[in-house]
Amino acid sequence: AELRDGVTELMCHPGYYDQDLQASPTMLKRKREIEQKTVADSSWREWLREREIVLTSFRNLTVASQPA
C-alpha cells in the first residue's frame, strides 16, 4: 500500500499442483495454488485498481524504455 511512483517488481509463480509439479525439483509447489487463487481473486484486483496499480510485464517495460 506504500509503493513509490515508478515500477515495482511483484514476482509470483501461480499454478496448479499436479504430478508434473510434484516431480519437479522446485521448492515452490503447493504455494503455487495459493498464488493462483490470489491473483484470480476479484477483491485483489479491486485492491490494485483502488490504488491505481497497473500490472504489466517486462516486455512492455523494455519497449516503453527504448528511444523513439
Side-chain angles (χ1 to χ4, degrees):
E2 298 179 18
L3 294 176
R4 296 179 184 168
D5 286 344
V7 176
T8 300
E9 180 180 10
L10 167 69
M11 183 172 59
C12 61
H13 300 88
Y16 299 102
Y17 186 82
D18 59 13
Q19 289 179 344
D20 290 336
L21 186 58
Q22 183 178 9
S24 172
T26 183
M27 294 179 2
L28 301 170
K29 294 184 181 186
R30 293 278 183 197
K31 290 183 178 181
R32 290 180 187 246
E33 287 188 335
I34 295 168
E35 292 180 2
Q36 172 64 28
K37 290 177 184 176
T38 300
V39 300
D41 189 312
S42 62
S43 64
W44 183 71
R45 291 174 188 257
E46 182 60 28
W47 185 91
L48 294 172
R49 248 190 313 278
E50 288 171 357
R51 289 156 182 81
E52 298 179 358
I53 297 172
V54 178
L55 300 179
T56 190
S57 70
F58 279 108
R59 178 181 300 132
N60 291 342
L61 295 175
T62 301
V63 170
S65 65
Q66 295 194 7

